[in-house]
């Protein structure tokens, strides 16, 4: 891909002591990290590492006991972050696998900071809630019937 080519050129130029505009190339990549990554402050350490590298984006715990997010920034800094996500993570984490998808060159950053996205608590229907909803729907139905009869 173009991004792989840019990485190769960047490494070649670094080894020759040259600089190139590629270092200014911005990319965006989505990621998902598998393993023991929840309950070990993985998202907090990911945010800190991203900020340290000057990247922006977000991180959150996902439903599948994984951590997911998006990185944006200069390609060489993003490459360091991908390596960190694949091999280091938080001190108490154990990374089994890291997936990186939708990698693309971007013209501008979509974010101004690196955020931890808090999940909205899921509303779980308990038996009591289900009964309440059932009677509420019956009340609404009866109300609609009464309105149509009175017209």
């Amino acid at each position: 891909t173009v991004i792989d080519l840019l990485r190769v050129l960047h490494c070649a130029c670094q080894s020759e002591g040259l600089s190139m505009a590629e270092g200014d190339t911005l990319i965006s990549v989505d990621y998902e990290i598998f393993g023991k990554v929840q309950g070990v402050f993985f998202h907090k350490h990911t945010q800190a590492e991203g900020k340290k590298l000057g990247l922006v984006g977000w991180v959150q715990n996902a439903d599948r006991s994984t951590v997911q997010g998006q990185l944006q920034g200069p390609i060489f800094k993003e490459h360091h972050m991908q390596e960190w996500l694949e091999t280091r993570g938080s001190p108490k984490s154990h990374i089994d696998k890291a997936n990186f998808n939708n990698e693309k060159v971007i013209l501008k950053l979509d974010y101004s900071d690196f955020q931890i996205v808090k999940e909205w608590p899921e509303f779980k229907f308990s038996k009591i809630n289900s009964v309440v909803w059932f009677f509420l729907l019956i009340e609404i139905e009866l109300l609609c019937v009464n309105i149509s009869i009175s017209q």
Side-chain angles (χ1 to χ4, degrees), residues 33-102:
I33 313 301
F34 298 80
K36 184 177 170 47
V37 292
Q38 288 193 9
V40 292
F41 300 101
F42 195 93
H43 59 288
K44 182 179 177 184
H45 286 270
T46 300
Q47 179 191 43
E49 187 69 16
K51 284 184 174 189
K52 183 173 95 176
L53 290 170
L55 297 171
V56 298
W58 56 272
V59 60
Q60 74 174 10
N61 286 336
D63 292 339
R64 301 187 313 169
S65 298
T66 63
V67 169
Q68 64 185 11
Q70 186 176 78
L71 304 171
Q72 291 186 350
I75 191 168
F76 66 94
K77 291 182 179 184
E78 187 272 347
H79 177 71
H80 288 294
M81 187 66 180
Q82 279 192 22
E83 189 175 302
W84 184 90
L85 286 166
E86 285 179 297
T87 61
R88 292 193 55 203
S90 66
K92 294 185 178 183
S93 67
H94 175 78
I95 300 161
D96 293 332
K97 178 174 73 166
N99 287 345
F100 299 96
N101 299 304
N102 302 321

Side-chain angles (χ1 to χ4, degrees), residues 8-143:
V8 169
L9 288 172
H10 175 72
C11 290
C13 286
Q14 276 189 329
S15 68
E16 294 294 322
L18 303 173
S19 87
M20 60 181 293
E22 176 274 327
D24 297 331
T25 301
L26 298 176
I27 66 167
S28 175
V29 64
D30 299 334
Y31 62 90
E32 185 168 19
I33 313 301
F34 298 80
K36 184 177 170 47
V37 292
Q38 288 193 9
V40 292
F41 300 101
F42 195 93
H43 59 288
K44 182 179 177 184
H45 286 270
T46 300
Q47 179 191 43
E49 187 69 16
K51 284 184 174 189
K52 183 173 95 176
L53 290 170
L55 297 171
V56 298
W58 56 272
V59 60
Q60 74 174 10
N61 286 336
D63 292 339
R64 301 187 313 169
S65 298
T66 63
V67 169
Q68 64 185 11
Q70 186 176 78
L71 304 171
Q72 291 186 350
I75 191 168
F76 66 94
K77 291 182 179 184
E78 187 272 347
H79 177 71
H80 288 294
M81 187 66 180
Q82 279 192 22
E83 189 175 302
W84 184 90
L85 286 166
E86 285 179 297
T87 61
R88 292 193 55 203
S90 66
K92 294 185 178 183
S93 67
H94 175 78
I95 300 161
D96 293 332
K97 178 174 73 166
N99 287 345
F100 299 96
N101 299 304
N102 302 321
E103 193 170 62
K104 60 189 172 200
V105 174
I106 56 175
L107 298 177
K108 67 178 186 65
L109 300 172
D110 295 325
Y111 309 98
S112 59
D113 200 1
F114 204 107
Q115 297 292 319
I116 295 173
V117 176
K118 299 289 184 191
E119 300 165 293
W120 289 96
E122 290 183 35
F123 185 75
K124 306 262 187 221
F125 286 101
S126 67
K127 288 180 184 175
I128 294 172
N129 284 337
S130 298
V131 171
V132 170
W133 279 107
F134 176 75
F135 283 112
L136 182 61
L137 290 173
I138 290 174
E139 289 262 347
I140 291 170
E141 186 70 27
L142 290 173
L143 182 62

